[in-house]
Amino acid sequence: MSNTEYLTATMTVDRTPEEVFEAVTNVRGWWSENLIGHSAALHDEFVFTDDCEYAGETALAKKGIRFARFQLTEVVPGRRMVWRCVDSLLTFVDDPDEWTGTTVVFDIGVTEQGTTVHFTHEGLSSAESACFEACSAGWTFYITKSLPQLITTGVGQPMPSYHR
């Protein structure tokens, strides 16, 4: 991560901007199968949790992201997607609502190499965010590994669904 003002990650794939955008909206396919809500249209809201085995395990273990609720505030098909974190509970840092009020931005553009996604989690900085290191590792994996895999093969590497 070269820009430490905000947490960033970038990836490029040999697909159209429309295909990339469609994959970005499929958050269950690249970030977490436990997503609650919708993640494709303007004003959609969804809740992310990193519970993987059983609902509530993160809360009991006192680690991880208990939840983060996002609202889609900007949706420009093939070009841009913006999520606003309206509520959160991170149990692995001293400020459990550190993500609340932050913005997640997906800027999509065409380069000679293909379609590029430039991801920024605005509000998380190396200087001021307790979760920066852990969040950087997580976001980098999901943006540079799982999302391109979903785009190119149809199967990403999201957090698995908890047992029901």
Side-chain angles (χ1 to χ4, degrees):
M1 304 262 161
S2 59
N3 178 359
T4 57
E5 181 179 349
Y6 292 125
L7 191 154
T8 64
T10 302
M11 69 87 176
T12 302
V13 291
D14 184 22
R15 295 295 190 271
T16 68
E18 293 74 23
E19 290 171 303
V20 170
F21 183 84
E22 182 178 333
V24 167
T25 67
N26 180 8
V27 181
R28 285 180 187 88
W30 61 267
W31 191 18
S32 177
E33 293 176 350
N34 291 320
L35 190 82
I36 301 164
H38 301 285
S39 59
L42 187 63
H43 305 300
D44 275 357
E45 287 195 12
F46 67 90
V47 173
F48 164 85
T49 177
D50 64 2
D51 284 339
C52 293
E53 294 296 323
Y54 299 96
E57 73 173 5
T58 300
L60 294 174
K62 304 262 189 267
K63 64 179 183 175
I65 301 171
R66 180 62 192 117
F67 73 88
R69 184 167 54 97
F70 295 93
Q71 182 180 53
L72 278 65
T73 59
E74 189 175 346
V75 177
V76 182
R79 296 187 53 214
R80 186 172 169 93
M81 170 78 70
V82 179
W83 308 342
R84 178 85 173 154
C85 185
V86 296
D87 196 13
S88 65
L89 177 60
L90 284 66
T91 58
F92 64 100
V93 293
D94 289 339
D95 181 6
D97 66 345
E98 185 170 88
W99 280 19
T100 303
T102 63
T103 305
V104 175
V105 180
F106 300 84
D107 283 314
I108 301 169
V110 178
T111 67
E112 289 182 12
Q113 293 76 32
T115 299
T116 296
V117 173
H118 182 73
F119 167 91
T120 307
H121 194 150
E122 296 177 353
L124 294 187
S125 69
S126 61
E128 298 177 0
S129 302
C131 82
F132 189 84
E133 188 175 322
C135 292
S136 179
W139 278 129
T140 297
F141 170 78
Y142 289 107
I143 300 303
T144 67
K145 303 288 187 224
S146 184
L147 179 59
Q149 187 175 328
L150 175 64
I151 295 166
T152 58
T153 70
V155 179
Q157 296 180 47
M159 291 179 197
S161 178
Y162 55 77
H163 301 288
R164 295 178 193 247

